């Protein structure tokens, strides 16, 4: 049983919920929590009943970053040997859509975890940033790259070099998050998004996620090649027949993920 996360594989039909659960420490991401998260995501990714995964924290914090107390005394070689990157790399490989429901602080590794998610719902209280600079380091789990790609150089430089937190409004305006809702609506809105996605073909959703993410890693031409291959692949699915026939027959499709 995980200690620092709560996992519900069927919080709603086809929707899994992972809640980060170190609330006294503002969900600071210690090594054990990250390993539990990695293992849970791997399991949910392999669970055919799950079509979308929500990651959330609590009212005060999504996650206030990696655990500074655990990191403070480490040497570079300790960090190398711990190899946290393999944990983050595994999380990055999640094929099913990840939705972050963010209330309060999403800082440092918390912001980076949020940015590993495909859709982000934030509450009005969200405070988002990469404050590592204030403790003598810099982002280490993709913050300089993912934030810059999401919000552009000017704002990313400001956030990374000054450690200033963005409000939810600023994050929305910059294109970092999908929507802002009142605190008490945050999880409900994440479920609404998840439900919408879970009603689509899981095959098409998986292939579409892969194609969108490829836009960050490839040239336009390479990305287009991947998109075309994934598009063709959709036609190998029963879901494609079901989706198109349902449209023609004027009924709601019943996708099976096959
Ligand atoms: N680590 C450990 N403990 C933390 C924490 C953190 N990141 N953030 C908060 N806490 C703890 C506080 O120490 C406090 O514990 P006690 O003193 O009660 O024992 C408790 O949570 C409540 O926090 P505060 O009393 O500070 O609460 P406030 O409301 O006054 O302030 C705050 C909230 C979020 C503004 C403040 O706690 C804060 O500045 N926290 C630190 C934020 C931060 O600097 N985050 C970045 C950490 S560095 C890597 C991957 C990732 C990373 C690195 C490497 N690899 C793959 C290699 C990531 C690095 C980081 O995230």
């Amino acid at each position: 049983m995980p200690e620092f996360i709560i996992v519900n594989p069927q919080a709603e039909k086809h929707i899994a919920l992972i809640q980060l659960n170190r609330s006294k420490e503002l969900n600071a991401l210690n090594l054990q929590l990250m390993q539990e998260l990695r293992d849970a995501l791997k399991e949910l990714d392999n669970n055919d009943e799950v079509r979308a995964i929500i990651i959330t924290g609590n009212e005060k914090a999504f996650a206030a970053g990696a655990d500074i107390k655990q990191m403070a005394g480490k040497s570079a070689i300790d960090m190398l040997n711990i190899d946290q990157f393999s944990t983050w790399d595994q999380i990055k490989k999640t094929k099913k859509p990840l939705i972050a429901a963010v209330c309060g602080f999403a800082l440092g590794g918390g912001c980076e975890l949020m940015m590993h998610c495909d859709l982000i719902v934030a509450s009005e209280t969200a405070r988002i940033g990469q404050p590592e600079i204030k403790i003598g380091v810099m982002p280490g789990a993709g913050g300089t790259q993912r934030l810059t790609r999401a919000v552009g150089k000017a704002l990313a430089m400001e956030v990374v070099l000054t450690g200033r937190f963005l409000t939810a409004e600023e994050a929305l305006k910059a294109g970092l998050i999908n929507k802002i809702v009142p605190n008490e609506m945050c999880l409900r809105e994440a479920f609404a998004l998840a439900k919408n996605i879970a009603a689509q073909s899981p095959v098409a959703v998986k292939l579409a996620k892969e194609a969108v993410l490829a836009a960050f890693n490839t040239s336009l031409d390479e990305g287009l090649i991947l998109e075309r291959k994934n598009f063709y692949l959709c036609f190998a699915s029963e879901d494609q027949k079901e989706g198109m026939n349902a449209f023609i027959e004027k009924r709601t499709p019943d996708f099976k993920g096959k």
Side-chain angles (χ1 to χ4, degrees):
M1 279 292 279
E3 182 182 353
F4 296 127
I5 61 173
I6 300 169
V7 184
N8 184 346
Q10 286 295 331
E12 282 188 22
K13 192 169 182 228
H14 297 314
I15 302 170
L17 177 66
I18 299 178
Q19 182 173 19
L20 309 182
N21 190 33
R22 275 192 92 203
S23 56
K24 259 189 22 233
E25 295 83 3
L26 305 184
N27 290 331
L29 306 167
N30 65 12
L31 293 175
Q32 186 182 329
L33 186 156
M34 288 306 298
Q35 285 159 5
E36 289 174 1
L37 182 61
R38 171 201 62 196
D39 294 347
L41 285 172
K42 199 168 175 192
E43 208 170 305
L44 295 171
D45 215 27
N46 289 327
N47 179 340
D48 287 344
E49 283 305 305
V50 174
R51 295 186 179 185
I53 303 165
I54 298 172
I55 302 178
T56 195
N58 56 50
E59 265 200 16
K60 188 150 187 221
F62 178 71
D67 191 324
I68 299 169
K69 291 165 194 165
Q70 196 175 45
M71 270 187 306
K74 297 271 187 290
S75 69
I77 303 305
D78 292 335
M79 295 299 276
L80 177 75
N81 288 339
I82 293 168
D83 189 20
Q84 297 171 66
F85 292 110
S86 61
T87 305
W88 287 83
D89 285 346
Q90 181 61 46
I91 291 172
K92 190 180 79 176
K93 285 185 195 150
T94 309
K95 293 195 175 75
K96 289 180 184 163
L98 295 176
I99 300 167
V102 177
C103 293
F105 299 111
L107 304 175
C111 179
E112 292 168 318
L113 176 62
M114 180 194 89
M115 291 190 292
H116 274 68
C117 294
D118 305 304
L119 293 154
I120 301 165
V121 179
S123 82
E124 296 152 338
T125 61
R127 293 293 175 271
I128 297 167
Q130 299 283 164
E132 290 91 336
I133 206 79
K134 293 183 178 171
I135 53 168
V137 288
M138 58 174 281
T144 60
Q145 304 305 299
R146 290 198 176 85
L147 186 68
T148 307
R149 281 165 162 80
V151 306
K153 177 185 163 190
L155 190 56
M157 280 291 188
E158 188 184 331
V159 168
V160 171
L161 300 188
T162 71
R164 180 171 85 76
F165 301 164
L166 298 175
T167 61
E169 277 298 337
E170 285 179 296
L172 183 69
K173 200 167 145 222
L176 181 59
I177 63 175
N178 292 83
K179 53 174 75 180
I180 306 175
V181 292
N183 228 10
E184 64 280 6
M185 293 287 293
C186 195
L187 204 49
R188 204 178 315 161
E189 190 62 35
F191 270 102
L193 267 176
K195 205 168 164 182
N196 189 333
I197 293 169
Q200 315 306 329
S201 157
V203 177
V205 165
K206 216 178 270 183
L207 293 171
K209 168 172 169 165
E210 184 190 30
V212 172
L213 287 179
F216 293 101
N217 281 331
T218 58
S219 66
L220 179 60
D221 279 348
E222 285 168 319
L224 289 172
I225 289 167
L226 180 97
E227 183 190 79
R228 280 169 205 177
K229 291 206 164 135
N230 283 8
F231 176 74
Y232 292 142
L233 202 47
C234 289
F235 282 76
S237 70
E238 291 171 19
D239 283 352
Q240 173 266 329
K241 300 286 174 292
E242 168 64 9
M244 293 191 179
N245 286 335
F247 174 81
I248 293 162
E249 293 159 15
K250 300 189 186 300
R251 60 176 174 82
T252 307
D254 180 14
F255 293 119
K256 299 276 195 260
K258 292 189 173 153

